[in-house]
Amino acid sequence: MIASCLDNGLGKTPPMGWNSFNYFDCVINETLIKEVADGMVDHGFLKAGYKYLNIDDGWSNDYRNESGYLLPDPDAFPSGMKVLVDYVHSKGLLFGIYADAGLTTCVKRPGSLNYEKKDAQVFAEWEVDYLKYDNCDNMGLPAMDRYKASHKDKMRDALNATKRPIYFSICEWGENKPFLWAPPIGNSWRTTQDIKANWTSILTILDTQRNITNYAGPGGWNDPDMLEIGNGNLTLDEQRSHFSFWAALKAPLILGFDIRNPPPDAKDMALNTEIIAVNQDPLGVSVNIVEHNKYYEIWTGPLSDGYVA
């Protein structure tokens, strides 16, 4: 098991929260995010442990200010990002934001390449608690050259320099085997391409986790992408299997349905305290395949109380 060397003390258990991308794509605004914050509290998600409210791509302006700092889109976030973060914090939640390790984000907003210090600084000033760091428009440069702390001014050291604990979620889609190099850098690292709300996508992603579960543990987690329960045309059993496996893999539990009006089945699943307890077990050991044939697979993993998942 490999622990993270990111100097923030976070991620001792997998993060739990909500992200805007799977349901709202990149069309977000401050009114929507305030409603989401209200929904996370009113529907019991915060009480169950889902504390991070994370906005994804599309929040920033098309250009930086004259000093090179990021700005929120003035039409979508007219009150400014600090006001929104304060509102989210007032609900007892933590706030997550999105940035990109390339020249631009996936929807062509300013990227953080060569602006790591300034972006980390402004995130800390806004009192951001979580950063999802994507990999679009990377000019073909190796991910390690843009994520690794040994390279001057890269994001891990920039975040540490702010002295604000900010959970660092690396998202280079598993293309460069991040489980081999990311544990000293981030609190979690994507191990796959983007998940889709269909069973084929979920099974494909699950298969990619087979031989890498031992690379994660308290402080740094494999991330097979966000949850799709409550989205698409997944059957009830498919959703239950999806949620249970992600929990047992010790994956981040990041919800992605419309949490303002949660689908009843998805809500019941997400609030299942016994499944959450498996995910949040302090031992932090993922299930792994111990037996398989062409008909079935058996995945098991120890828990801190002596039982086995």
Side-chain angles (χ1 to χ4, degrees):
M1 185 181 297
I2 300 174
S4 173
C5 295
L6 181 64
D7 186 22
N8 62 15
L10 302 177
K12 299 305 182 185
T13 59
M16 297 172 59
W18 178 92
N19 180 284
S20 57
F21 182 75
N22 281 358
Y23 191 84
F24 296 103
D25 198 23
C26 299
V27 184
I28 52 177
N29 59 65
E30 67 180 45
T31 299
L32 168 65
I33 300 306
K34 287 181 178 180
E35 291 173 352
V36 166
D38 296 342
M40 291 181 71
V41 175
D42 295 344
H43 293 291
F45 293 99
L46 173 60
K47 185 177 180 181
Y50 297 92
K51 62 183 181 180
Y52 287 106
L53 192 171
N54 299 339
I55 62 173
D56 212 276
D57 202 356
W59 65 266
S60 66
N61 203 359
D62 292 333
Y63 53 84
R64 295 172 178 271
N65 70 13
E66 59 185 13
S67 299
Y69 289 96
L70 287 170
L71 299 166
D73 183 318
D75 295 322
F77 298 93
S79 301
M81 200 55 67
K82 183 62 169 65
V83 171
L84 180 60
V85 175
D86 287 346
Y87 183 86
V88 170
H89 285 167
S90 76
K91 294 291 183 175
L93 295 158
L94 299 177
F95 187 88
I97 208 163
Y98 169 101
D100 190 278
L103 289 175
T104 65
T105 73
C106 299
V107 295
K108 303 305 179 185
R109 306 296 170 90
S112 294
L113 186 62
N114 301 319
Y115 288 91
E116 290 86 356
K117 278 189 174 181
K118 288 189 174 184
D119 291 357
Q121 179 186 343
V122 79
F123 295 154
E125 290 173 356
W126 291 342
E127 298 186 331
V128 165
D129 305 292
Y130 183 116
L131 174 62
K132 175 182 174 181
Y133 203 44
D134 218 342
N135 193 36
C136 286
D137 197 12
N138 54 48
M139 303 185 299
L141 295 173
M144 287 180 286
D145 289 351
R146 289 170 291 109
Y147 287 93
K148 233 176 179 180
S150 61
H151 290 74
K152 184 181 178 182
D153 294 350
K154 297 310 175 191
M155 189 57 81
R156 190 199 81 166
D157 285 352
L159 292 172
N160 283 342
T162 70
K163 306 301 182 183
R164 179 172 179 79
I166 298 176
Y167 184 100
F168 188 28
S169 172
I170 292 172
C171 182
E172 54 77 80
W173 316 305
E175 293 178 345
N176 300 275
K177 297 183 178 180
F179 48 87
L180 296 178
W181 52 265
I185 301 171
N187 296 113
S188 59
W189 43 88
R190 275 279 294 280
T191 56
T192 72
Q193 294 291 320
D194 287 359
I195 195 170
K196 305 297 181 185
N198 64 71
W199 188 235
T200 298
S201 174
I202 291 166
L203 281 184
T204 300
I205 286 174
L206 181 59
D207 282 342
T208 68
Q209 310 307 299
R210 287 171 177 265
N211 299 313
I212 65 172
T213 56
N214 62 316
Y215 288 100
W221 307 99
N222 289 322
D223 178 8
D225 205 5
M226 300 173 287
L227 291 159
E228 286 283 20
I229 62 170
N231 294 331
N233 296 311
L234 293 166
T235 69
L236 183 58
D237 284 339
E238 288 169 348
Q239 292 179 74
R240 286 173 173 163
S241 298
H242 172 30
F243 183 68
S244 297
F245 253 114
W246 262 234
L249 286 166
K250 303 301 188 289
L253 297 184
I254 307 298
L255 304 171
F257 51 76
D258 186 355
I259 211 161
R260 302 170 303 172
N261 300 289
D265 289 336
K267 178 181 177 180
D268 289 345
M269 266 177 262
L271 297 181
N272 186 314
T273 56
E274 293 179 344
I275 303 299
I276 290 172
V278 170
N279 181 257
Q280 296 293 296
D281 184 78
L283 189 62
V285 177
S286 170
V287 292
N288 201 3
I289 294 180
V290 295
E291 183 178 336
H292 67 92
N293 59 34
K294 64 181 180 180
Y295 300 110
Y296 64 82
E297 298 172 348
I298 298 176
W299 296 63
T300 70
L303 300 172
S304 59
D305 59 6
Y307 287 89
V308 172

